[in-house]
Amino acid sequence: MSLDIKEFLKNHEPFSLLPEFQIEYIVQNSSLDYVPKDEILIKSGQIPSYLYIILKGGFALKKDGNIVEFLEKGDFIGDTSLIFNQENQFTVQAVEDSILLLIPADIFKDIINKHPEFKEFFTKTTINKLAEGYKKIQGSIDDSSLLPIKDFPLKEAFFCKKDEDIVEVARKMSNKNLSFCLVGNPADLQGIITDKDLKDRVIAKGKEPKTITAEDIKTFPVETIESDKFLFEAILKMINKNIKRLPVLEDGKVIGVIQDRDIFIFQSKNILHFIKQIEVEKDIKVLREIYVNVQETIKNLFKTGKDIEILQKYTAELNDRFMQKAIQLTLEEFKTETEFSFIVLGSEGRKEQTLNTDIDNGIIYTDEFKHEIILKIGKSIIDKLLKIGFPECPGKVMASNPLWVKSVNNWKNTIDNWIFRPTSSSIMYLSIFMDLRTIYGKENLSKILKKHIFNMVENNKNFLVVMALKTLEFEPPIGFFRNFIVEKTGEHKNELDIKKGGIFPIVQGTRVLALENKIEDTGTIDRIRQLRNKIGVNLADELIESFKFLQTLRLKFQLEKLSEGRKPDNYINPEKLSKFEKDLLKDAFKVVKKFQEMIGVHYRIRV
């Protein structure tokens, strides 16, 4: 039995962090105890004499006679009381015949004093455990796009004074072999001058360089980026702002400059590489090849330990580029001038897509008399996207469907019907539409409709309750005894739907709160950040980490199914999880339940 206990500890966190001699010492000085069903192990107010580890059976934690938590095989009892030298807050009672490993309190305390990483395991918050968890369950494939900017070889932050003449500035730039010069000093960035500025603002205009100062031709304000951001985010900012360099800030001071050509040399198959390919290509067949390469790269990226929020934004940006290219090619064919906004909805609108999933989209236009031509444009765009490789939306939420191609006024009428005559379909449609994001054309059209939605809901607060009820429709799949509730038969036998019971309630609950508070951001995590004071800081942080963990776990199983030649879905098998992953999944589901309770009370659905 000693050997069995030793092996158990060696493979059980945090004992697996200890050296072997320390585990031997624990085994030699520990004992086993049998606790029959219904027997009380520790009463509230007591300080335990041991750290208990459940080897078999289960226990309930009770407060004022109510069960607040269940513990099972592998869980600990008494750790908090021993670490903080405080009375136990709960009565601990066996719910079935159980066997415990008893580690004397003095030995446990000695270990936590000698091994900080061992102690840290017990003192980590749920938030920290979840944050660590979604990184641990991923692999170690690297991608330089996800390198922190502070770890990238930056150009020197070279400065000149605002009253220096341009001849002197140009000479210094040449001596430094730089194509730019910053104006001011690291703590006070007053502008930037590039070699292009010298050509366009001085030479091309025939001005006498000696009469021109840095102040006269500088660009201000200057786009900057923080050093703790990822390289990927710098690339996107340069592309979106159409600039070639960004001063990098740390604690408010400029520490260097990052340039697009340095990134391009540093990388090969990255987002910049793909974006440049998509921009110049016009052949649909070649675009399809690029799309396949992008999908393979994305699959590899999702196996890294990087932040899934960043990876999903990476995916969304590339999807946007393909759609923008399809739109541009279509407009070149139709040769017509009309104002419209091509919008993406649902997970693409929230920038939360993962693998090769379908995209929901639509069109908003201004001229009521151009419906037919706009619809033809929409059908041509979708036809190109399908040929490129995007999956068709099963619900036909696409710009090829007249139901999703409307004028501003017709969209307003549709939204009014959804809100004032709610059905299960209209609630679903408005939920999808709430995530709208313009990727091409007139962004103000989507803003007009968002504002209209906010105004209509303000006049019909009951609709918020209807939306909130969808948040409570699916309970997290965890039972009374903290066991996972899985499918008993069929294709998904022994699996649970992690989207329905975990991801969706967070997305929908956040969406309805964003609607109530007129928050225009579409991303779930962005919405939670803006709702921190409404939700509560602790719950908001727990929601963010739970959301990331649940999505990462779903991805792990989707990638596994793809490697087996199966279609990826939202089902996972909890028996394939480690003890660590199972515990974190239970913690995440607990956070979801807590959020559902908050939504229920807030909208007076539950008392």
Side-chain angles (χ1 to χ4, degrees):
M1 181 58 116
S2 291
L3 181 62
D4 291 338
I5 297 300
K6 180 180 175 182
E7 287 302 309
F8 175 81
L9 292 178
K10 283 174 67 175
N11 293 290
H12 193 73
E13 278 197 291
F15 293 90
S16 56
L17 302 173
L18 299 175
E20 188 159 350
F21 76 87
Q22 190 78 74
I23 294 176
E24 288 272 12
Y25 180 71
I26 293 170
V27 173
Q28 292 169 8
N29 290 278
S30 299
S31 59
L32 297 175
D33 190 21
Y34 168 77
V35 183
K37 181 181 178 182
D38 296 329
E39 184 172 303
I40 292 175
L41 179 69
I42 308 172
K43 292 182 179 179
S44 177
Q46 289 182 331
I47 295 180
S49 302
Y50 301 93
L51 171 73
Y52 300 95
I53 306 177
I54 304 172
L55 301 180
K56 181 179 180 296
F59 288 80
L61 302 185
K62 292 185 175 182
K63 185 82 170 177
D64 299 325
N66 298 313
I67 296 175
V68 295
E69 179 72 278
F70 282 100
L71 302 177
E72 58 185 12
K73 181 181 176 180
D75 286 334
F76 303 98
I77 302 170
D79 49 299
T80 303
S81 295
L82 294 176
I83 290 171
F84 297 104
N85 196 31
Q86 62 185 29
E87 295 179 349
N88 188 54
Q89 302 297 306
F90 306 99
T91 294
V92 184
Q93 185 176 23
V95 293
E96 55 184 302
D97 292 346
S98 303
I99 296 174
L100 297 171
L101 175 67
L102 281 58
I103 301 176
D106 57 343
I107 292 177
F108 176 65
K109 289 180 179 180
D110 183 54
I111 296 170
I112 62 175
N113 289 330
K114 290 178 178 176
H115 301 277
E117 72 281 8
F118 183 85
K119 181 178 181 180
E120 186 184 7
F121 175 89
F122 292 100
T123 56
K124 277 180 184 172
T125 64
T126 298
I127 296 167
N128 291 334
K129 286 180 182 178
L130 286 165
E132 180 182 301
Y134 76 76
K135 292 176 182 175
K136 272 193 175 184
I137 65 175
Q138 297 173 311
S140 58
I141 295 173
D142 192 27
D143 178 72
S144 54
S145 293
L146 304 168
L147 184 76
I149 292 170
K150 59 188 172 186
D151 295 336
F152 184 81
L154 303 175
K155 291 292 185 188
E156 176 190 352
F158 167 61
F159 284 89
C160 65
K161 297 176 182 178
K162 65 180 181 180
D163 57 358
E164 283 189 59
D165 69 64
I166 291 307
V167 174
E168 181 64 15
V169 171
R171 186 185 64 78
K172 289 181 176 179
M173 287 169 60
S174 178
N175 290 342
K176 291 280 188 180
N177 194 27
L178 293 173
S179 59
F180 67 89
C181 177
L182 303 177
V183 182
N185 60 69
D188 182 21
L189 180 58
Q190 300 172 14
I192 186 171
I193 297 170
T194 67
D195 51 5
K196 190 174 185 300
D197 294 329
L198 295 174
K199 294 172 188 174
D200 294 351
R201 299 177 184 179
V202 181
I203 298 171
K205 292 188 176 181
K207 294 182 178 180
E208 172 54 48
K210 278 196 170 294
T211 66
I212 306 297
T213 66
E215 177 73 14
D216 297 328
I217 67 165
K218 72 178 186 181
T219 297
F220 185 83
V222 185
E223 293 290 342
T224 61
I225 194 163
E226 296 291 331
S227 65
D228 59 354
K229 297 292 185 182
F230 290 105
L231 201 57
F232 151 68
E233 294 177 279
I235 295 169
L236 285 188
K237 191 162 191 177
M238 282 189 265
I239 291 170
N240 292 331
K241 298 291 184 179
N242 194 28
I243 53 179
K244 295 185 176 182
R245 55 191 64 79
L246 287 166
V248 178
L249 304 182
E250 191 167 283
D251 298 326
K253 294 182 179 180
V254 181
I255 62 168
V257 176
I258 189 166
Q259 296 193 119
D260 62 348
R261 67 180 181 182
D262 295 329
I263 298 172
F264 194 70
I265 292 168
F266 188 71
Q267 297 183 303
S268 55
K269 273 197 173 182
N270 57 67
I271 189 168
L272 182 60
H273 172 76
F274 286 129
I275 285 174
K276 288 187 180 294
Q277 281 188 306
I278 296 165
E279 279 180 353
V280 300
E281 192 53 62
K282 292 193 173 186
D283 189 320
I284 294 294
K285 289 182 180 178
V286 178
L287 285 167
R288 183 178 180 86
E289 291 174 7
I290 299 170
Y291 182 78
V292 170
N293 288 335
V294 166
Q295 292 302 308
E296 283 304 310
T297 300
I298 287 171
K299 286 176 189 175
N300 287 335
L301 287 178
F302 281 129
K303 294 174 185 176
T304 70
K306 307 298 183 183
D307 192 319
I308 194 168
E309 181 187 6
I310 298 296
L311 296 179
Q312 289 179 324
K313 287 181 178 178
Y314 184 113
T315 305
E317 186 66 30
L318 288 168
N319 283 345
D320 287 357
R321 297 288 167 161
F322 280 111
M323 287 184 274
Q324 288 160 2
K325 173 57 71 170
I327 296 167
Q328 290 163 2
L329 293 176
T330 298
L331 293 179
E332 286 174 10
E333 293 171 0
F334 277 80
K335 294 182 174 61
T336 182
E337 289 188 13
T338 184
E339 289 190 347
F340 70 88
S341 169
F342 191 92
I343 55 174
V344 288
L345 313 164
S347 60
E348 180 66 18
R350 298 192 306 272
K351 295 189 177 182
E352 289 168 11
Q353 285 215 317
T354 50
L355 299 179
N356 193 13
T357 48
D358 63 270
I359 48 167
D360 299 333
N361 52 62
I363 293 177
I364 311 165
Y365 58 89
T366 54
D367 192 337
E368 304 258 355
F369 298 101
K370 291 193 174 180
H371 177 76
E372 292 302 319
I373 187 66
I374 294 288
L375 184 57
K376 285 180 181 178
I377 289 172
K379 288 180 178 179
S380 180
I381 292 168
I382 297 304
D383 179 60
K384 288 178 177 61
L385 289 175
L386 295 178
K387 287 177 180 175
I388 287 171
F390 283 88
E392 185 175 11
C393 173
K396 305 296 181 185
V397 182
M398 299 183 294
S400 55
N401 183 347
L403 293 176
W404 296 94
V405 179
K406 298 181 181 185
S407 68
V408 174
N409 288 333
N410 283 338
W411 270 121
K412 285 182 178 179
N413 292 334
T414 299
I415 290 165
D416 292 350
N417 282 328
W418 286 342
I419 292 172
F420 291 100
R421 298 178 183 85
T423 63
S424 57
S425 296
S426 66
I427 294 166
M428 179 183 70
Y429 289 149
L430 186 64
S431 295
I432 294 170
F433 198 81
M434 266 288 297
D435 302 331
L436 85 161
R437 179 171 60 85
T438 295
I439 64 159
Y440 189 94
K442 300 292 182 179
E443 189 175 1
N444 67 303
L445 299 182
S446 60
K447 288 183 177 294
I448 288 170
L449 293 185
K450 280 186 181 180
K451 187 174 181 180
H452 182 74
I453 293 171
F454 292 150
N455 290 339
M456 290 303 100
V457 169
E458 193 168 36
N459 294 325
N460 183 15
K461 293 290 181 69
N462 289 334
F463 186 75
L464 291 172
V465 178
V466 175
M467 289 274 285
L469 282 167
K470 296 294 290 184
T471 306
L472 311 183
E473 193 171 331
F474 304 112
E475 292 278 344
I478 189 164
F480 189 68
F481 292 99
R482 275 174 57 89
N483 57 306
F484 294 113
I485 301 173
V486 297
E487 300 288 328
K488 302 299 182 185
T489 58
E491 178 188 356
H492 297 293
K493 184 179 179 181
N494 297 325
E495 293 185 324
L496 60 83
D497 189 333
I498 197 170
K499 179 181 178 181
K500 185 187 292 184
I503 295 170
F504 173 77
I506 297 176
V507 171
Q508 182 67 10
T510 304
R511 186 187 277 139
V512 67
L513 288 170
L515 181 56
E516 179 188 0
N517 291 279
K518 300 183 179 180
I519 292 171
E520 292 195 11
D521 279 340
T522 57
T524 300
I525 291 174
D526 291 330
R527 284 169 170 169
I528 293 172
R529 288 184 179 126
Q530 289 205 44
L531 289 163
R532 279 170 66 87
N533 292 331
K534 299 284 183 180
I535 295 174
V537 173
N538 286 340
L539 179 55
D541 289 343
E542 288 180 340
L543 278 172
I544 289 172
E545 297 306 334
S546 297
F547 187 63
K548 288 181 179 182
F549 177 77
L550 293 169
Q551 289 194 101
T552 303
L553 203 55
R554 175 175 64 170
L555 267 170
K556 176 187 177 181
F557 279 86
Q558 287 178 335
L559 288 166
E560 184 181 294
K561 289 177 181 180
L562 275 174
S563 68
E564 296 170 353
R566 299 160 62 196
K567 185 178 179 181
D569 52 37
N570 296 310
Y571 284 86
I572 71 164
N573 185 340
E575 285 308 309
K576 291 185 176 181
L577 301 176
S578 66
K579 173 70 168 61
F580 176 70
E581 292 168 342
K582 286 179 182 177
D583 287 345
L584 289 180
L585 182 55
K586 290 173 183 178
D587 285 340
F589 283 151
K590 280 174 62 179
V591 172
V592 173
K593 278 191 173 183
K594 194 190 303 184
F595 183 49
Q596 287 180 316
E597 288 168 5
M598 185 233 113
I599 292 289
V601 172
H602 181 72
Y603 291 106
R604 299 182 181 180
I605 301 168
R606 293 178 177 173
V607 179

